[in-house]
Amino acid sequence: MSSLGSWLPAFPGLGWGWALLDAFLQGLVGACAVSVLCSLLKVYLYIQCLNNPERQAEKDAIRAQRAVLDPLHVLVLTGVLALVGSRVAALVVLEFSLRAVSTILSLGKGAHSSQLYLLCQYSLGCGMSCGLSFLLEGAPHRSWNLLLAAGLAGLLALQCQRLALHVCALYGLHSRERYCGLCILLLSDGHRIPALLRRALALAFAVADLAAVELINRDFLSATEAVRFWTPLTLCYALLVVYMQEEARQSADGGPVFRTVLVRMGGLFVLLLTVGRWSDVLHVLVSLLGELWCLLRAGVLLESCRRQ
């Protein structure tokens, strides 16, 4: 028994419906993880801008972001992650992991680390979906487990959104008057938010990478088939990493962020046309929409990271 539907009589199409529910819940967990990431980065960047008189325009831009759009962002991203198949989600996770390792090795602990956190939004959502799909495969009461995970993730995302609203509205006053325990805590330890995110993301992507490799390899019947898939994939990803590193060196504006998304998804699209399935090709197009949606929503934060 692996889902809620296993407790009910067997009706035509019922299994498909419960599979769709499981996909939606996995997507919701991934979208909530992205929301937590963005909320904590928003808190960190706002505090940094508030402490720097030369960055008041950035502070006002961050504060001007409409919090009412956060639920819409989570809902749209949930739908995108629910539609993307596990195979393409696994490929997105592996591609970002390779890109992140390359960026960290080339830049070290520089000021661009916060921007890397924002660039991983969609990949983090795919990673959470892959990890849940792998960890709960064959588990008893799978749907109940996913429902519990979605509830906890939604509660955490809601609390982080409330924290971001509180900081943008009252942190300046509370940090001066010293009568809000939460703002006093951020005043003393707010600089540790990037380190906290770095450890959490490292753990999340470590699990997601293992799950992604397993999810991809289970479709191959022999080692020969696996080699035929992994060889062009590795070459494609290596070329993409080299291209993106060169783009980052040559330009400092926001253009490369969106161009690299198109190049990455275009390369994956062409690759899956030759060694993938037609459903994979459609899922790549959905992933492109998801990547662009995340970057557009985080445009103000990306600009603040570039100027940092």
Side-chain angles (χ1 to χ4, degrees), residues 68-81:
V68 71
L69 296 179
D70 289 337
L72 176 62
H73 176 66
V74 171
L75 182 61
V76 173
L77 190 54
T78 297
V80 171
L81 293 173

Side-chain angles (χ1 to χ4, degrees), residues 201-217:
L201 289 173
L203 178 60
F205 276 102
V207 175
D209 288 337
L210 294 175
V213 172
E214 177 62 27
L215 290 173
I216 294 174
N217 283 336

